[in-house]
């Protein structure tokens, strides 16, 4: 296998993003996350703020669960009234993800990348999770926000995970934390970040050897 793309979905506070960056550094490849919003903006000509605002607005919109708009590929043309719709903003992110996967080995954190790239044979999809108490403690330790209380942090984690699950279902029709969607599901509290990276590397070696 000439190249490999690793997609990482993660529970809030599990360290999935950190693991993604550590993995990319170990493999000598790029790691992409929210940078994809800027790249999609550059490609589409749509203001980057719209991509970020859509992410934030949909968190509390109550749209998820009422319906789903499963990604099927394609783009809405600029002359359409729906050019800057939520669906087309997602379409452009998916376009960037597909282009990155076609061009280079890389790690992609979030953005439903596992679903978007599900038909590629060179993709390894990973879900990183951990018990709530571990995620609360880690989030409180790292948090630069005003949240300093365990109960408040637990509620914030639950809301964030619900948004990620709803967002994933809305655009994929799948359950976000269903192990059947992923090649590997890793408990970061049991393994630690370094061993999670080692596990992913070992899987890549075994599968593509």
């Amino acid at each position: 296998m000439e190249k490999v793309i690793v997609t990482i979905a993660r529970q809030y506070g599990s360290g999935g993003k950190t693991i993604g960056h550590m993995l990319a550094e170990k493999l000598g490849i790029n790691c992409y996350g929210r940078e994809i919003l800027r790249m999609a903006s550059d490609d589409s000509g749509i203001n980057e703020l719209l991509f970020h605002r859509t992410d934030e607005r949909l968190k509390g919109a109550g749209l998820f669960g009422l319906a789903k708009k499963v990604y099927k590929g394609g783009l809405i043309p600029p002359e359409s009234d729906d050019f800057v719709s939520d669906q087309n903003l997602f379409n452009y992110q998916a376009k960037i993800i597909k282009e990155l996967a076609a061009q280079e080995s890389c790690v992609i954190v979030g953005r439903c990348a596992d679903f978007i790239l599900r038909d590629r044979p060179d993709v390894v999809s990973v879900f990183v999770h951990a018990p709530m108490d571990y995620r609360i403690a880690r989030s409180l330790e790292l948090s630069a926000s005003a949240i300093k209380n365990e109960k408040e942090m637990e509620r914030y984690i639950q809301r964030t995970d619900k948004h990620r699950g709803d967002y994933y279902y809305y655009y994929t029709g799948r359950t976000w934390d269903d192990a059947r969607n992923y090649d590997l599901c890793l408990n970061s509290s049991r393994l630690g970040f370094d061993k999670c990276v080692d596990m992913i590397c070992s899987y890549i070696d075994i599968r593509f050897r």
Side-chain angles (χ1 to χ4, degrees):
M1 184 65 63
E2 291 186 355
K3 62 183 174 63
V4 63
I5 300 93
V6 180
T7 68
I8 296 184
R10 75 283 186 217
Q11 290 182 324
Y12 186 89
S14 66
K17 183 168 70 172
T18 301
I19 290 167
H21 284 282
M22 291 172 61
L23 175 66
E25 183 176 357
K26 182 170 183 175
L27 295 177
I29 60 179
N30 290 318
C31 182
Y32 298 98
R34 291 181 70 83
E35 301 91 342
I36 289 170
L37 301 182
R38 174 187 54 77
M39 298 166 77
S41 171
D42 291 343
D43 186 72
S44 64
I46 299 171
N47 192 312
E48 184 180 348
L49 286 175
L50 289 178
F51 287 91
H52 289 281
R53 286 173 181 169
T54 297
D55 258 17
E56 293 303 313
R57 182 174 58 79
L58 290 179
K59 284 184 181 180
L63 296 176
F64 302 133
L66 297 178
K68 57 184 176 180
K69 295 184 178 180
V70 175
Y71 171 73
K72 295 182 172 64
L75 297 168
I76 299 171
E79 60 271 18
S80 170
D81 291 339
D82 292 326
F83 180 62
V84 295
S85 64
D86 296 339
Q87 184 69 50
N88 207 37
L89 295 178
F90 183 87
N91 291 345
Y92 269 102
Q93 293 177 61
K95 178 177 183 287
I96 296 300
I97 288 169
K98 286 181 174 180
E99 289 175 351
L100 290 171
Q103 294 165 5
E104 61 180 281
S105 292
C106 59
V107 177
I108 302 176
V109 179
R111 321 315 306 177
C112 302
D114 60 284
F115 179 81
I116 293 164
L117 302 176
R118 65 193 182 281
D119 295 326
R120 292 188 62 94
D122 53 0
V123 172
V124 173
S125 56
V126 180
F127 185 81
V128 181
H129 61 98
M132 179 60 77
D133 58 350
Y134 172 88
R135 294 191 285 144
I136 291 172
R138 182 173 179 274
S139 298
L140 286 172
E141 181 181 348
L142 298 176
S143 177
S145 71
I147 303 176
K148 303 299 179 184
N149 177 277
E150 288 188 5
K151 286 295 183 184
E152 289 181 19
M153 182 58 76
E154 180 175 4
R155 287 193 289 270
Y156 179 79
I157 290 171
Q158 289 171 339
R159 287 196 304 270
T160 303
D161 280 353
K162 183 178 188 308
H163 166 65
R164 290 179 179 177
D166 290 347
Y167 184 95
Y168 188 85
Y169 176 77
Y170 189 67
Y171 288 115
T172 72
R174 295 181 175 185
T175 302
W176 172 63
D177 56 0
D178 187 336
R180 292 172 294 182
N181 294 330
Y182 305 97
D183 297 309
L184 288 174
C185 292
L186 302 176
N187 184 334
S188 58
S189 72
R190 293 281 181 87
L191 292 171
F193 294 176
D194 287 324
K195 288 184 179 178
C196 282
V197 171
D198 290 343
M199 284 286 290
I200 299 169
C201 289
S202 295
Y203 178 87
I204 291 170
D205 182 54
I206 292 168
R207 177 170 161 187
F208 299 126
R209 186 176 338 190

